[in-house]
Amino acid sequence: MNGNGIRGIEQGRAKFAYDSVNEIAQNSNGDLKKKYKSGAKKLPMLIKTNGLGQALAFINMRDDGNIELYNMIRDWLSQKQLIELGTNTDLVAIVIDKPSNEYRRITTETLALLNWVRRFVDGLMKGVEEDN
């Protein structure tokens, strides 16, 4: 793949992440912003430590900020055609049912997206404190 292809993929991730974070930054209350920002910064390490399936299951049961992250990841993976939602929209069930090579690809794509999300929460939510 040439440099333009890689640049295009990164720009797509960046735009999706920016739009998602900006939506939260502009249209959510302070508590949701706080939880979203905190979740966005902690989630990559949670994935690396526990695996994607466990990390997604964990954040899906937490709070509104983490559920927003969960939904954003689900929407991105569906848009990139790495998962097929159909009647089942439970991202955890879809991901853990994948063969290991697809599971790794989905994990890599999720971490690449979250890299942009982390950058944008720092920029778009400067005055928002992180939730502990």
Side-chain angles (χ1 to χ4, degrees):
M1 189 180 280
N2 64 27
N4 289 338
I6 293 170
R7 187 175 10 253
I9 292 167
E10 281 299 311
Q11 285 174 333
R13 280 187 200 119
K15 177 161 180 19
F16 185 88
Y18 177 83
D19 291 345
S20 298
V21 173
N22 194 46
E23 176 71 24
I24 297 293
Q26 298 296 317
N27 300 317
S28 300
N29 64 41
D31 191 48
L32 178 64
K33 288 180 194 178
K34 210 160 120 169
K35 291 176 191 294
Y36 185 88
K37 183 175 183 178
S38 178
K41 295 187 132 208
K42 292 176 183 174
L43 186 54
M45 188 53 68
L46 192 62
I47 292 170
K48 290 175 186 174
T49 304
N50 299 304
L52 182 62
Q54 273 189 312
L56 290 172
F58 178 74
I59 68 166
N60 191 31
M61 299 300 164
R62 294 224 1 139
D63 52 52
D64 291 344
N66 282 288
I67 291 170
E68 289 290 337
L69 284 168
Y70 179 91
N71 291 336
M72 179 203 58
I73 293 166
R74 185 193 61 214
D75 294 345
W76 175 249
L77 294 174
S78 176
Q79 180 180 314
K80 296 302 292 176
Q81 299 177 342
L82 293 171
I83 62 167
E84 189 174 313
L85 294 176
T87 57
N88 184 10
T89 59
D90 182 10
L91 181 57
V92 175
I94 294 169
V95 167
I96 63 174
D97 197 38
K98 294 289 184 186
S100 62
N101 62 328
E102 289 182 44
Y103 183 89
R104 282 191 301 274
R105 184 169 177 222
I106 290 169
T107 300
T108 301
E109 184 61 38
T110 301
L111 288 170
L113 175 66
L114 289 172
N115 189 38
W116 283 105
V117 171
R118 276 194 352 240
R119 291 175 188 174
F120 290 129
V121 295
D122 280 340
L124 296 172
M125 297 183 187
K126 281 184 184 170
V128 177
E129 290 183 33
E130 290 179 46
D131 192 32
N132 293 329

